[in-house]
Amino acid sequence: MPTIDEIARLAQVSPATVSKVLNNRSYVSAQTRERVKRVIAETGFVPSQRARWLSTQRTLILGLLIPYTSDQLFADPHLLEIMRGIESVANEREYNLLLSTARSPSQAGSAFTRLLRTDVVDAAIVVETLDVQVAAALAHPDKTWAVIGYAHAEGVPAVHADDYGGALAAARHLAELGHRRIGVISSVPRPSALDERLRGITDALAAADAPLDEALIAVGDFSLESGERAALELLGRPGRPSAIFALNDRMALGVVRAAHQLGLHVPDDLSVVGFDDISLAALFTPALTTVRQPGFRLGAAAATATFALLDGAAPGPPTVIPTELVIRGSTGPPPAPERR
Amino acid sequence: MPTIDEIARLAQVSPATVSKVLNNRSYVSAQTRERVKRVIAETGFVPSQRARWLSTQRTLILGLLIPYTSDQLFADPHLLEIMRGIESVANEREYNLLLSTARSPSQAGSAFTRLLRTDVVDAAIVVETLDVQVAAALAHPDKTWAVIGYAHAEGVPAVHADDYGGALAAARHLAELGHRRIGVISSVPRPSALDERLRGITDALAAADAPLDEALIAVGDFSLESGERAALELLGRPGRPSAIFALNDRMALGVVRAAHQLGLHVPDDLSVVGFDDISLAALFTPALTTVRQPGFRLGAAAATATFALLDGAAPGPPTVIPTELVIRGSTGPPPAPERR
DNA sequence: CTGAAAGCGCTTACAG
DNA sequence: CTGAAAGCGCTTACAG
């Protein structure tokens, strides 16, 4: 591959002039421009991005930092939707996406620090992480970044769904159907989004005079299998719940599987609610009642906020994306013996 | 952020020595090394990757070129599995992944050319594209790359599944169940993988003395909705098929939906076969009979081949990943009137 | 063991 | 309109 110097020599101009032609910058006579362009076309010259990056101090690369292993990322339709939203906005700005996942769950910090403290990416979007050390490392003032989730650092724009409102609506829906004993499947550790969802559930059930029983909170890891295990546990005990609210859809689908295994019919014997509204939720039998949070919009909003920062705007308040309760076939009134 | 020159000044050594400490290269006295390390720690210095890239001629970035829009990519579980396989191997080598999708289906060429002809990535993996112009542009001798699919260029390692064998086995399965009229849902344009699958079907049905009827080949675009449309068309005509083989799982799920709409029971009235074995295939009701092609292994093999090339190995013959017929609940004998 | 110098391939004021 | 020179921040032989 020729360099700009060789092109300059062939076109009998200086490298500076070739650079101007390449970037359509300042005045170059039509004649000279033509000559340079011809040489470029003839040689198939493509300027070195590496050199350009060093001199312009930009790479047009947006980092996407996901504190999960790639296995976890690719298993999570909601994360993928977020990624799609980011991709879409980045693409418009002619930015490429550099994906950074963690080698292992505990290693998220080092990978991120590496990427954020160096000059590989112009800016980054971080999917919320609980790790305080990571948050500290991230708080590097030179770097432009935004968070999808609840911001832990000052001056960093955050984008999140209305987790509280969505969970509130869904729990109210269950209470209105007549459910009094409602199981919840959460996770440990618990990202802020899940804290908010739990808060919504707690408030809705308190208002319905059917306060959330701490003993009915089981723990999963967002996977379908973990939801299945947690549900088997909740349903295997005496005084089992008549409804289970899993804090994401994949675990909710696991709950349905667990119910089938125990010979329970959904929704006649057990109501199930999820969160996210991944595409599978509507395709499942029975179709899942869930809280829709638009992943694409979350990702797009985060990317937009990041580019705004890059363009010099001041970081604004958190962007909250509305959620929506979607009632489908997996919820109904509790079975008769439990009805008042 | 300080530069290497400032670190050198503070540690009272030359920039060259700092560089040696940074890269653990050649001999540096323990004492000097300590001093330099201390200064680096105190200042929080992180060397500029951009400068490093320019002088070392490597970026540790692997390009992933996908000739689809990001919408199409993220809607395709099989592609995502491939991506996961690539990610996994790249991660081990401390490579980051740079994602390049097409802005629009027709623009795949320019995006790829841009990325492959420049020096942004050390190497790339290309998901097979039909576009001949793209293939030509890709055939840039300087760049290391591999193809997932059937290679169109000389000296480029290719990795693909045993499409022919998988489709052959699935079509034979249908023939053995007694099906004589078998519909197929393919696509236009048709990647080589689908050519191979069609060839497998043709051979299996010819051997079973129930030759494939060209009139029963419908066209989709890999999406569930397109499979639904194509199936409605195939099933709405007189002499409708008793089985439909959709050349990917998402279209097959669309076929099942179409059958439901027409009041047909799967598999009693219509048998359905897919291809890929995405995770949804097993979760669907009825669970889908399909040909499993391990996306993760495809991706991992392609990444491994790419790194081998980067390490100086000569490109070998295509790697063929075995496929496997997975028989589930969506296939059965044809309905009585059609049985001989 | 250590450092001066050249080089990676561009861009960017600045002079002319 | 055009070009000489400096600069981006590292690494890499090569000398000492």
Side-chain angles (χ1 to χ4, degrees):
Chain A
M1 176 66 72
T3 66
I4 201 173
D5 286 347
E6 298 178 57
I7 302 302
R9 191 171 47 72
L10 289 171
Q12 306 184 54
V13 294
S14 73
T17 299
V18 177
S19 174
K20 283 165 199 155
V21 172
L22 243 24
N23 298 292
N24 298 312
R25 207 182 305 277
S26 91
Y27 297 93
V28 179
S29 72
Q31 200 180 347
T32 307
R33 181 179 300 276
E34 270 323 298
R35 190 147 33 92
V36 172
K37 285 198 162 170
R38 187 152 25 82
V39 173
I40 289 174
E42 282 166 3
T43 54
F45 168 70
V46 178
S48 160
Q49 293 301 317
R50 295 175 189 176
R52 207 170 239 179
W53 289 344
L54 185 57
S55 50
T56 60
Q57 310 286 47
R58 300 172 64 219
T59 58
L60 297 183
I61 297 180
L62 181 67
L64 179 51
L65 311 193
I66 301 188
Y68 304 108
T69 63
S70 53
D71 283 16
Q72 292 171 312
L73 162 63
F74 288 108
D76 188 336
H78 179 247
L79 266 181
L80 290 168
E81 271 297 291
I82 287 176
M83 203 164 144
R84 190 168 73 85
I86 294 171
E87 226 293 312
S88 148
V89 172
N91 222 347
E92 267 170 31
R93 299 274 303 225
E94 308 216 322
Y95 263 73
N96 280 113
L97 233 54
L98 188 71
L99 189 62
S100 178
T101 54
R103 203 88 72 81
S104 69
S106 61
Q107 281 186 332
S110 58
F112 290 4
T113 309
R114 205 172 53 208
L115 199 57
L116 266 189
R117 307 208 44 194
T118 188
D119 57 358
V120 172
V121 300
D122 290 346
I125 294 179
V126 177
V127 172
E128 190 208 3
T129 163
L130 281 176
D131 190 322
V132 178
Q133 283 204 329
V134 175
L138 292 179
H140 198 63
D142 305 356
K143 190 60 78 179
T144 299
W145 56 292
V147 162
I148 295 186
Y150 295 75
H152 291 165
E154 287 288 318
V156 173
V159 176
H160 64 256
D162 180 12
D163 293 286
Y164 174 83
L168 186 88
R172 184 180 292 151
H173 165 62
L174 288 174
E176 282 170 358
L177 284 168
H179 294 274
R180 312 294 301 164
R181 290 184 62 71
I182 297 176
V184 172
I185 303 182
S186 175
S187 80
V188 170
R190 207 162 66 199
S192 308
L194 292 212
D195 283 340
E196 291 297 302
R197 292 177 203 171
L198 271 178
R199 204 163 61 78
I201 296 171
T202 303
D203 288 1
L205 297 187
D209 209 28
L212 178 60
D213 181 351
E214 296 277 337
L216 293 182
I217 301 183
V219 168
D221 63 9
F222 297 105
S223 70
L224 190 149
E225 291 72 20
S226 76
E228 190 170 1
R229 276 193 302 274
L232 287 174
E233 189 194 314
L234 281 174
L235 297 172
R237 307 199 289 231
R240 67 162 191 244
S242 63
I244 293 182
F245 189 166
L247 297 188
N248 80 336
D249 281 348
R250 285 184 297 146
M251 293 197 290
L253 298 178
V255 173
V256 174
R257 283 230 302 216
H260 287 171
Q261 278 178 47
L262 297 173
L264 297 175
H265 186 267
V266 176
D268 297 345
D269 302 316
L270 180 76
S271 284
V272 180
V273 176
F275 203 105
D276 287 345
D277 196 24
I278 61 178
S279 62
L280 185 47
L283 296 172
F284 215 69
T285 312
L288 192 68
T289 294
T290 188
V291 178
R292 175 178 302 157
Q293 69 165 327
F296 184 90
R297 280 187 60 192
L298 280 166
T304 303
T306 307
F307 285 120
L309 236 52
L310 222 40
D311 292 340
T319 304
V320 181
I321 307 287
T323 52
E324 180 194 354
L325 175 62
V326 182
I327 299 175
R328 297 203 183 93
S330 67
T331 48
E338 171 129 358
R339 209 175 284 163
R340 297 167 149 206
Chain B
M1 177 63 76
T3 67
I4 201 172
D5 286 348
E6 298 178 58
I7 302 303
R9 191 171 48 73
L10 290 172
Q12 306 184 54
V13 294
S14 71
T17 299
V18 177
S19 174
K20 283 166 198 154
V21 171
L22 244 24
N23 298 291
N24 298 313
R25 209 183 306 277
S26 91
Y27 297 94
V28 179
S29 73
Q31 201 182 341
T32 307
R33 181 179 300 276
E34 269 325 297
R35 190 148 33 91
V36 172
K37 285 198 163 173
R38 186 149 29 80
V39 174
I40 289 175
E42 282 165 4
T43 54
F45 168 69
V46 177
S48 160
Q49 294 301 317
R50 295 175 189 176
R52 208 169 237 178
W53 289 344
L54 185 57
S55 50
T56 60
Q57 310 286 44
R58 299 171 65 219
T59 58
L60 297 183
I61 297 180
L62 181 66
L64 180 52
L65 311 194
I66 301 188
Y68 304 107
T69 63
S70 53
D71 283 17
Q72 292 171 313
L73 162 62
F74 288 108
D76 188 338
H78 180 247
L79 265 181
L80 289 168
E81 271 296 292
I82 288 176
M83 205 164 143
R84 191 169 72 86
I86 294 171
E87 227 293 312
S88 150
V89 172
N91 221 347
E92 268 170 32
R93 299 274 303 225
E94 308 217 321
Y95 262 73
N96 280 113
L97 232 54
L98 187 71
L99 190 62
S100 178
T101 54
R103 202 87 73 79
S104 68
S106 61
Q107 280 185 332
S110 57
F112 289 5
T113 309
R114 206 172 52 209
L115 199 57
L116 267 188
R117 306 208 45 193
T118 188
D119 55 0
V120 173
V121 301
D122 291 346
I125 294 179
V126 177
V127 172
E128 190 208 2
T129 163
L130 281 175
D131 190 322
V132 178
Q133 284 203 328
V134 175
L138 292 178
H140 199 61
D142 305 357
K143 190 59 76 176
T144 298
W145 57 292
V147 162
I148 295 185
Y150 295 75
H152 291 164
E154 286 288 319
V156 173
V159 176
H160 63 258
D162 180 12
D163 293 287
Y164 175 82
L168 187 86
R172 186 180 290 152
H173 164 63
L174 289 174
E176 282 170 356
L177 284 169
H179 293 276
R180 313 293 302 163
R181 289 184 63 70
I182 298 176
V184 171
I185 304 181
S186 175
S187 80
V188 169
R190 206 163 66 200
S192 307
L194 292 211
D195 283 340
E196 291 296 302
R197 293 177 203 170
L198 270 178
R199 204 163 60 79
I201 296 172
T202 304
D203 287 0
L205 297 187
D209 210 27
L212 178 60
D213 181 351
E214 296 277 335
L216 293 182
I217 302 183
V219 169
D221 64 9
F222 298 105
S223 71
L224 190 148
E225 291 72 21
S226 76
E228 191 170 1
R229 277 194 301 275
L232 287 174
E233 190 194 313
L234 281 173
L235 297 171
R237 307 198 290 230
R240 66 163 191 246
S242 63
I244 294 183
F245 190 165
L247 296 189
N248 80 335
D249 281 348
R250 286 184 295 146
M251 293 196 290
L253 298 178
V255 174
V256 173
R257 285 229 302 216
H260 288 170
Q261 278 178 48
L262 297 174
L264 297 175
H265 186 269
V266 175
D268 296 344
D269 301 317
L270 180 74
S271 284
V272 180
V273 176
F275 203 106
D276 288 345
D277 197 24
I278 61 178
S279 62
L280 185 46
L283 295 173
F284 214 71
T285 311
L288 191 67
T289 295
T290 188
V291 178
R292 174 177 302 156
Q293 68 166 327
F296 184 90
R297 279 186 61 192
L298 281 166
T304 302
T306 306
F307 285 120
L309 235 53
L310 222 40
D311 293 340
T319 304
V320 181
I321 308 286
T323 51
E324 179 194 355
L325 175 62
V326 182
I327 298 175
R328 299 202 182 94
S330 68
T331 47
E338 170 127 2
R339 207 175 286 161
R340 295 165 153 208

